[in-house]
mmCIF file of all heavy atoms in Angstrom:
data_model
loop_
_atom_site.group_PDB
_atom_site.id
_atom_site.type_symbol
_atom_site.label_atom_id
_atom_site.label_comp_id
_atom_site.label_asym_id
_atom_site.label_seq_id
_atom_site.Cartn_x
_atom_site.Cartn_y
_atom_site.Cartn_z
ATOM 1 N N PRO A 171 -75.126 -16.856 -46.241
ATOM 2 C CA PRO A 171 -74.794 -16.320 -44.972
ATOM 3 C C PRO A 171 -74.109 -14.931 -45.090
ATOM 4 O O PRO A 171 -73.299 -14.714 -45.980
ATOM 5 C CB PRO A 171 -73.764 -17.335 -44.417
ATOM 6 C CG PRO A 171 -74.132 -18.584 -45.117
ATOM 7 C CD PRO A 171 -74.617 -18.213 -46.508
ATOM 8 N N GLY A 172 -74.495 -13.975 -44.281
ATOM 9 C CA GLY A 172 -74.016 -12.656 -44.338
ATOM 10 C C GLY A 172 -74.640 -11.736 -45.383
ATOM 11 O O GLY A 172 -74.352 -10.525 -45.340
ATOM 12 N N GLU A 173 -75.435 -12.257 -46.185
ATOM 13 C CA GLU A 173 -76.172 -11.395 -47.274
ATOM 14 C C GLU A 173 -77.116 -10.458 -46.550
ATOM 15 O O GLU A 173 -77.904 -10.856 -45.746
ATOM 16 C CB GLU A 173 -76.843 -12.310 -48.191
ATOM 17 C CG GLU A 173 -77.368 -11.539 -49.413
ATOM 18 C CD GLU A 173 -77.878 -12.530 -50.514
ATOM 19 O OE1 GLU A 173 -78.123 -13.718 -50.218
ATOM 20 O OE2 GLU A 173 -78.052 -12.075 -51.624
ATOM 21 N N ARG A 174 -77.060 -9.191 -46.949
ATOM 22 C CA ARG A 174 -78.048 -8.184 -46.434
ATOM 23 C C ARG A 174 -79.383 -8.465 -47.106
ATOM 24 O O ARG A 174 -79.519 -8.535 -48.215
ATOM 25 C CB ARG A 174 -77.502 -6.788 -46.795
ATOM 26 C CG ARG A 174 -76.249 -6.466 -46.019
ATOM 27 C CD ARG A 174 -75.640 -5.176 -46.454
ATOM 28 N NE ARG A 174 -76.588 -4.007 -46.499
ATOM 29 C CZ ARG A 174 -76.921 -3.235 -45.430
ATOM 30 N NH1 ARG A 174 -76.416 -3.513 -44.228
ATOM 31 N NH2 ARG A 174 -77.726 -2.250 -45.603
ATOM 32 N N THR A 175 -80.394 -8.603 -46.219
ATOM 33 C CA THR A 175 -81.754 -9.042 -46.647
ATOM 34 C C THR A 175 -82.810 -8.186 -45.987
ATOM 35 O O THR A 175 -82.784 -7.843 -44.870
ATOM 36 C CB THR A 175 -81.944 -10.491 -46.214
ATOM 37 O OG1 THR A 175 -80.895 -11.319 -46.726
ATOM 38 C CG2 THR A 175 -83.269 -10.981 -46.739
ATOM 39 N N LEU A 176 -83.767 -7.792 -46.880
ATOM 40 C CA LEU A 176 -84.937 -7.032 -46.448
ATOM 41 C C LEU A 176 -86.191 -7.953 -46.709
ATOM 42 O O LEU A 176 -86.369 -8.430 -47.768
ATOM 43 C CB LEU A 176 -85.118 -5.746 -47.239
ATOM 44 C CG LEU A 176 -86.384 -4.922 -47.044
ATOM 45 C CD1 LEU A 176 -86.416 -4.429 -45.585
ATOM 46 C CD2 LEU A 176 -86.431 -3.821 -48.133
ATOM 47 N N VAL A 177 -86.949 -8.192 -45.632
ATOM 48 C CA VAL A 177 -88.261 -8.960 -45.774
ATOM 49 C C VAL A 177 -89.299 -7.932 -46.145
ATOM 50 O O VAL A 177 -89.501 -6.928 -45.442
ATOM 51 C CB VAL A 177 -88.519 -9.710 -44.450
ATOM 52 C CG1 VAL A 177 -89.905 -10.366 -44.585
ATOM 53 C CG2 VAL A 177 -87.482 -10.827 -44.225
ATOM 54 N N ILE A 178 -90.095 -8.221 -47.161
ATOM 55 C CA ILE A 178 -91.255 -7.343 -47.569
ATOM 56 C C ILE A 178 -92.468 -8.213 -47.591
ATOM 57 O O ILE A 178 -92.486 -9.263 -48.145
ATOM 58 C CB ILE A 178 -90.925 -6.732 -48.956
ATOM 59 C CG1 ILE A 178 -89.616 -5.969 -48.956
ATOM 60 C CG2 ILE A 178 -92.153 -5.839 -49.398
ATOM 61 C CD1 ILE A 178 -89.203 -5.511 -50.305
ATOM 62 N N ASP A 179 -93.538 -7.608 -46.941
ATOM 63 C CA ASP A 179 -94.791 -8.338 -46.955
ATOM 64 C C ASP A 179 -95.878 -7.261 -47.192
ATOM 65 O O ASP A 179 -95.657 -6.085 -46.978
ATOM 66 C CB ASP A 179 -94.996 -8.987 -45.637
ATOM 67 C CG ASP A 179 -96.063 -10.143 -45.623
ATOM 68 O OD1 ASP A 179 -96.756 -10.298 -46.696
ATOM 69 O OD2 ASP A 179 -96.232 -10.858 -44.657
ATOM 70 N N ASP A 180 -97.101 -7.693 -47.551
ATOM 71 C CA ASP A 180 -98.125 -6.726 -47.853
ATOM 72 C C ASP A 180 -98.747 -6.187 -46.557
ATOM 73 O O ASP A 180 -99.092 -5.032 -46.566
ATOM 74 C CB ASP A 180 -99.208 -7.261 -48.794
ATOM 75 C CG ASP A 180 -99.839 -8.562 -48.261
ATOM 76 O OD1 ASP A 180 -99.337 -9.146 -47.312
ATOM 77 O OD2 ASP A 180 -100.856 -9.004 -48.896
ATOM 78 N N LEU A 181 -98.897 -7.021 -45.582
ATOM 79 C CA LEU A 181 -99.726 -6.667 -44.419
ATOM 80 C C LEU A 181 -99.096 -7.096 -43.108
ATOM 81 O O LEU A 181 -98.654 -8.249 -43.004
ATOM 82 C CB LEU A 181 -101.136 -7.324 -44.495
ATOM 83 C CG LEU A 181 -102.086 -7.098 -43.275
ATOM 84 C CD1 LEU A 181 -102.531 -5.650 -43.209
ATOM 85 C CD2 LEU A 181 -103.254 -8.029 -43.425
ATOM 86 N N LEU A 182 -99.003 -6.222 -42.163
ATOM 87 C CA LEU A 182 -98.583 -6.532 -40.819
ATOM 88 C C LEU A 182 -99.804 -6.482 -39.911
ATOM 89 O O LEU A 182 -100.376 -5.392 -39.647
ATOM 90 C CB LEU A 182 -97.491 -5.650 -40.249
ATOM 91 C CG LEU A 182 -97.081 -5.810 -38.758
ATOM 92 C CD1 LEU A 182 -96.588 -7.205 -38.554
ATOM 93 C CD2 LEU A 182 -96.003 -4.741 -38.378
ATOM 94 N N ALA A 183 -100.259 -7.559 -39.459
ATOM 95 C CA ALA A 183 -101.446 -7.673 -38.556
ATOM 96 C C ALA A 183 -100.972 -8.113 -37.215
ATOM 97 O O ALA A 183 -100.459 -7.381 -36.429
ATOM 98 C CB ALA A 183 -102.546 -8.608 -39.152
ATOM 99 N N THR A 184 -101.061 -9.393 -36.955
ATOM 100 C CA THR A 184 -100.591 -9.935 -35.598
ATOM 101 C C THR A 184 -99.091 -10.160 -35.603
ATOM 102 O O THR A 184 -98.551 -10.428 -34.504
ATOM 103 C CB THR A 184 -101.379 -11.228 -35.261
ATOM 104 O OG1 THR A 184 -101.139 -12.197 -36.286
ATOM 105 C CG2 THR A 184 -102.841 -11.005 -35.180
ATOM 106 N N GLY A 185 -98.404 -10.255 -36.756
ATOM 107 C CA GLY A 185 -96.950 -10.380 -36.787
ATOM 108 C C GLY A 185 -96.452 -11.825 -36.989
ATOM 109 O O GLY A 185 -95.235 -12.040 -37.033
ATOM 110 N N GLY A 186 -97.375 -12.839 -36.920
ATOM 111 C CA GLY A 186 -96.901 -14.278 -36.988
ATOM 112 C C GLY A 186 -96.077 -14.517 -38.243
ATOM 113 O O GLY A 186 -95.052 -15.144 -38.128
ATOM 114 N N THR A 187 -96.657 -14.240 -39.399
ATOM 115 C CA THR A 187 -95.963 -14.556 -40.654
ATOM 116 C C THR A 187 -94.658 -13.800 -40.787
ATOM 117 O O THR A 187 -93.612 -14.334 -41.116
ATOM 118 C CB THR A 187 -96.835 -14.173 -41.847
ATOM 119 O OG1 THR A 187 -98.082 -14.804 -41.717
ATOM 120 C CG2 THR A 187 -96.202 -14.603 -43.138
ATOM 121 N N ALA A 188 -94.645 -12.541 -40.452
ATOM 122 C CA ALA A 188 -93.413 -11.721 -40.498
ATOM 123 C C ALA A 188 -92.384 -12.228 -39.516
ATOM 124 O O ALA A 188 -91.171 -12.291 -39.863
ATOM 125 C CB ALA A 188 -93.690 -10.227 -40.213
ATOM 126 N N ALA A 189 -92.712 -12.638 -38.346
ATOM 127 C CA ALA A 189 -91.814 -13.147 -37.368
ATOM 128 C C ALA A 189 -91.238 -14.485 -37.856
ATOM 129 O O ALA A 189 -90.017 -14.769 -37.688
ATOM 130 C CB ALA A 189 -92.472 -13.334 -36.035
ATOM 131 N N ALA A 190 -92.045 -15.275 -38.500
ATOM 132 C CA ALA A 190 -91.528 -16.546 -39.094
ATOM 133 C C ALA A 190 -90.542 -16.276 -40.252
ATOM 134 O O ALA A 190 -89.537 -16.959 -40.350
ATOM 135 C CB ALA A 190 -92.733 -17.403 -39.589
ATOM 136 N N ALA A 191 -90.847 -15.318 -41.069
ATOM 137 C CA ALA A 191 -89.989 -14.928 -42.188
ATOM 138 C C ALA A 191 -88.602 -14.413 -41.605
ATOM 139 O O ALA A 191 -87.583 -14.735 -42.114
ATOM 140 C CB ALA A 191 -90.626 -13.928 -43.048
ATOM 141 N N LYS A 192 -88.680 -13.632 -40.597
ATOM 142 C CA LYS A 192 -87.509 -13.121 -39.939
ATOM 143 C C LYS A 192 -86.669 -14.193 -39.418
ATOM 144 O O LYS A 192 -85.461 -14.248 -39.526
ATOM 145 C CB LYS A 192 -87.922 -12.050 -38.818
ATOM 146 C CG LYS A 192 -86.828 -11.577 -37.947
ATOM 147 C CD LYS A 192 -87.361 -10.691 -36.909
ATOM 148 C CE LYS A 192 -86.308 -10.028 -36.036
ATOM 149 N NZ LYS A 192 -85.786 -10.939 -35.051
ATOM 150 N N ALA A 193 -87.291 -15.157 -38.742
ATOM 151 C CA ALA A 193 -86.587 -16.314 -38.145
ATOM 152 C C ALA A 193 -85.928 -17.102 -39.262
ATOM 153 O O ALA A 193 -84.794 -17.627 -39.084
ATOM 154 C CB ALA A 193 -87.497 -17.158 -37.294
ATOM 155 N N LEU A 194 -86.574 -17.342 -40.391
ATOM 156 C CA LEU A 194 -85.949 -18.099 -41.480
ATOM 157 C C LEU A 194 -84.767 -17.405 -42.017
ATOM 158 O O LEU A 194 -83.749 -18.041 -42.282
ATOM 159 C CB LEU A 194 -86.985 -18.297 -42.573
ATOM 160 C CG LEU A 194 -87.986 -19.500 -42.421
ATOM 161 C CD1 LEU A 194 -88.984 -19.438 -43.543
ATOM 162 C CD2 LEU A 194 -87.274 -20.746 -42.325
ATOM 163 N N VAL A 195 -84.815 -16.034 -42.229
ATOM 164 C CA VAL A 195 -83.695 -15.323 -42.679
ATOM 165 C C VAL A 195 -82.541 -15.478 -41.765
ATOM 166 O O VAL A 195 -81.361 -15.707 -42.160
ATOM 167 C CB VAL A 195 -84.104 -13.824 -42.955
ATOM 168 C CG1 VAL A 195 -82.861 -12.914 -43.144
ATOM 169 C CG2 VAL A 195 -85.053 -13.669 -44.086
ATOM 170 N N GLU A 196 -82.784 -15.288 -40.446
ATOM 171 C CA GLU A 196 -81.727 -15.381 -39.538
ATOM 172 C C GLU A 196 -81.168 -16.843 -39.444
ATOM 173 O O GLU A 196 -79.962 -17.012 -39.245
ATOM 174 C CB GLU A 196 -82.262 -14.989 -38.142
ATOM 175 C CG GLU A 196 -82.522 -13.433 -38.140
ATOM 176 C CD GLU A 196 -83.339 -13.001 -36.877
ATOM 177 O OE1 GLU A 196 -83.870 -13.840 -36.176
ATOM 178 O OE2 GLU A 196 -83.320 -11.742 -36.667
ATOM 179 N N LYS A 197 -82.041 -17.908 -39.574
ATOM 180 C CA LYS A 197 -81.632 -19.297 -39.540
ATOM 181 C C LYS A 197 -80.676 -19.500 -40.682
ATOM 182 O O LYS A 197 -79.766 -20.323 -40.540
ATOM 183 C CB LYS A 197 -82.825 -20.151 -39.629
ATOM 184 C CG LYS A 197 -82.581 -21.618 -39.460
ATOM 185 C CD LYS A 197 -83.825 -22.407 -39.468
ATOM 186 C CE LYS A 197 -83.611 -23.888 -39.152
ATOM 187 N NZ LYS A 197 -84.842 -24.616 -39.162
ATOM 188 N N LEU A 198 -80.853 -18.904 -41.825
ATOM 189 C CA LEU A 198 -79.927 -19.076 -42.960
ATOM 190 C C LEU A 198 -78.688 -18.236 -42.852
ATOM 191 O O LEU A 198 -77.786 -18.312 -43.696
ATOM 192 C CB LEU A 198 -80.687 -18.746 -44.270
ATOM 193 C CG LEU A 198 -81.823 -19.673 -44.629
ATOM 194 C CD1 LEU A 198 -82.570 -19.170 -45.886
ATOM 195 C CD2 LEU A 198 -81.228 -21.072 -44.917
ATOM 196 N N GLY A 199 -78.551 -17.454 -41.763
ATOM 197 C CA GLY A 199 -77.300 -16.744 -41.512
ATOM 198 C C GLY A 199 -77.252 -15.409 -42.179
ATOM 199 O O GLY A 199 -76.192 -14.754 -42.262
ATOM 200 N N ALA A 200 -78.304 -14.856 -42.741
ATOM 201 C CA ALA A 200 -78.249 -13.635 -43.424
ATOM 202 C C ALA A 200 -78.307 -12.512 -42.445
ATOM 203 O O ALA A 200 -78.668 -12.648 -41.281
ATOM 204 C CB ALA A 200 -79.481 -13.495 -44.400
ATOM 205 N N ASP A 201 -77.970 -11.251 -42.892
ATOM 206 C CA ASP A 201 -78.030 -10.101 -42.080
ATOM 207 C C ASP A 201 -79.361 -9.410 -42.359
ATOM 208 O O ASP A 201 -79.546 -8.790 -43.441
ATOM 209 C CB ASP A 201 -76.848 -9.117 -42.487
ATOM 210 C CG ASP A 201 -76.906 -7.853 -41.792
ATOM 211 O OD1 ASP A 201 -77.536 -7.733 -40.711
ATOM 212 O OD2 ASP A 201 -76.186 -6.939 -42.268
ATOM 213 N N LEU A 202 -80.274 -9.525 -41.525
ATOM 214 C CA LEU A 202 -81.640 -8.858 -41.739
ATOM 215 C C LEU A 202 -81.490 -7.374 -41.482
ATOM 216 O O LEU A 202 -81.246 -6.947 -40.413
ATOM 217 C CB LEU A 202 -82.652 -9.493 -40.787
ATOM 218 C CG LEU A 202 -84.098 -8.907 -40.931
ATOM 219 C CD1 LEU A 202 -84.646 -9.349 -42.281
ATOM 220 C CD2 LEU A 202 -84.998 -9.401 -39.783
ATOM 221 N N VAL A 203 -81.730 -6.588 -42.537
ATOM 222 C CA VAL A 203 -81.552 -5.117 -42.422
ATOM 223 C C VAL A 203 -82.944 -4.487 -42.044
ATOM 224 O O VAL A 203 -82.942 -3.299 -41.693
ATOM 225 C CB VAL A 203 -81.000 -4.491 -43.647
ATOM 226 C CG1 VAL A 203 -79.561 -4.943 -43.856
ATOM 227 C CG2 VAL A 203 -81.855 -4.759 -44.875
ATOM 228 N N GLY A 204 -83.993 -5.165 -42.217
ATOM 229 C CA GLY A 204 -85.352 -4.615 -41.891
ATOM 230 C C GLY A 204 -86.497 -5.415 -42.422
ATOM 231 O O GLY A 204 -86.272 -6.351 -43.132
ATOM 232 N N VAL A 205 -87.676 -4.977 -42.048
ATOM 233 C CA VAL A 205 -88.954 -5.618 -42.533
ATOM 234 C C VAL A 205 -89.792 -4.485 -43.046
ATOM 235 O O VAL A 205 -89.922 -3.393 -42.323
ATOM 236 C CB VAL A 205 -89.597 -6.425 -41.393
ATOM 237 C CG1 VAL A 205 -90.802 -7.129 -41.892
ATOM 238 C CG2 VAL A 205 -88.633 -7.378 -40.784
ATOM 239 N N ALA A 206 -90.452 -4.571 -44.225
ATOM 240 C CA ALA A 206 -91.270 -3.534 -44.687
ATOM 241 C C ALA A 206 -92.615 -4.090 -45.107
ATOM 242 O O ALA A 206 -92.784 -5.271 -45.457
ATOM 243 C CB ALA A 206 -90.584 -2.984 -46.044
ATOM 244 N N PHE A 207 -93.612 -3.187 -44.922
ATOM 245 C CA PHE A 207 -95.038 -3.585 -45.220
ATOM 246 C C PHE A 207 -95.713 -2.457 -46.004
ATOM 247 O O PHE A 207 -95.353 -1.306 -45.862
ATOM 248 C CB PHE A 207 -95.814 -3.814 -43.904
ATOM 249 C CG PHE A 207 -95.189 -4.763 -42.995
ATOM 250 C CD1 PHE A 207 -94.242 -4.466 -42.013
ATOM 251 C CD2 PHE A 207 -95.459 -6.182 -43.216
ATOM 252 C CE1 PHE A 207 -93.655 -5.469 -41.248
ATOM 253 C CE2 PHE A 207 -94.928 -7.127 -42.418
ATOM 254 C CZ PHE A 207 -94.009 -6.764 -41.368
ATOM 255 N N ILE A 208 -96.685 -2.796 -46.690
ATOM 256 C CA ILE A 208 -97.491 -1.771 -47.304
ATOM 257 C C ILE A 208 -98.511 -1.235 -46.306
ATOM 258 O O ILE A 208 -98.673 -0.021 -46.141
ATOM 259 C CB ILE A 208 -98.273 -2.377 -48.603
ATOM 260 C CG1 ILE A 208 -97.263 -2.758 -49.629
ATOM 261 C CG2 ILE A 208 -99.227 -1.301 -49.180
ATOM 262 C CD1 ILE A 208 -97.824 -3.586 -50.771
ATOM 263 N N VAL A 209 -99.218 -2.162 -45.622
ATOM 264 C CA VAL A 209 -100.280 -1.767 -44.616
ATOM 265 C C VAL A 209 -99.952 -2.404 -43.282
ATOM 266 O O VAL A 209 -99.466 -3.573 -43.136
ATOM 267 C CB VAL A 209 -101.629 -2.246 -45.065
ATOM 268 C CG1 VAL A 209 -102.699 -2.051 -43.994
ATOM 269 C CG2 VAL A 209 -101.991 -1.626 -46.417
ATOM 270 N N GLU A 210 -100.204 -1.584 -42.217
ATOM 271 C CA GLU A 210 -100.021 -2.141 -40.834
ATOM 272 C C GLU A 210 -101.338 -1.809 -40.052
ATOM 273 O O GLU A 210 -101.819 -0.714 -40.082
ATOM 274 C CB GLU A 210 -98.869 -1.439 -40.095
ATOM 275 C CG GLU A 210 -98.642 -1.974 -38.731
ATOM 276 C CD GLU A 210 -97.382 -1.471 -38.102
ATOM 277 O OE1 GLU A 210 -96.542 -0.805 -38.782
ATOM 278 O OE2 GLU A 210 -97.232 -1.566 -36.840
ATOM 279 N N LEU A 211 -101.898 -2.855 -39.418
ATOM 280 C CA LEU A 211 -103.056 -2.718 -38.561
ATOM 281 C C LEU A 211 -102.499 -2.496 -37.124
ATOM 282 O O LEU A 211 -102.168 -3.390 -36.387
ATOM 283 C CB LEU A 211 -103.944 -3.901 -38.629
ATOM 284 C CG LEU A 211 -104.396 -4.310 -40.042
ATOM 285 C CD1 LEU A 211 -105.258 -5.568 -40.012
ATOM 286 C CD2 LEU A 211 -105.093 -3.166 -40.678
ATOM 287 N N ASP A 212 -102.316 -1.162 -36.767
ATOM 288 C CA ASP A 212 -101.683 -0.762 -35.550
ATOM 289 C C ASP A 212 -102.214 -1.449 -34.278
ATOM 290 O O ASP A 212 -101.512 -1.789 -33.434
ATOM 291 C CB ASP A 212 -101.627 0.714 -35.387
ATOM 292 C CG ASP A 212 -100.831 1.419 -36.510
ATOM 293 O OD1 ASP A 212 -99.875 0.795 -36.961
ATOM 294 O OD2 ASP A 212 -101.220 2.582 -36.804
ATOM 295 N N ASP A 213 -103.558 -1.575 -34.172
ATOM 296 C CA ASP A 213 -104.163 -2.035 -32.984
ATOM 297 C C ASP A 213 -103.900 -3.555 -32.609
ATOM 298 O O ASP A 213 -104.120 -3.994 -31.504
ATOM 299 C CB ASP A 213 -105.727 -1.858 -33.029
ATOM 300 C CG ASP A 213 -106.087 -0.365 -33.030
ATOM 301 O OD1 ASP A 213 -105.396 0.449 -32.454
ATOM 302 O OD2 ASP A 213 -107.134 -0.070 -33.623
#
């Protein structure tokens, strides 16, 4: 709890996996500082 955490994933497409990872980090009480991706499919 309170640990500064960055979620890193290879691809942001529809956002489902990243949103679930974000929710898990927040559920554990960590401080989510951001989410990073190598590739994003903007459309």
Side-chain angles (χ1 to χ4, degrees):
E173 188 171 18
R174 293 173 49 84
T175 305
L176 173 67
V177 171
I178 302 172
D179 201 352
D180 58 347
L181 175 69
L182 175 58
T184 61
T187 306
K192 176 183 181 284
L194 278 175
V195 167
E196 292 168 344
K197 185 175 185 179
L198 293 173
D201 176 20
L202 181 68
V203 296
V205 185
F207 303 93
I208 298 170
V209 174
E210 182 174 348
L211 305 178
D212 295 330
D213 293 331

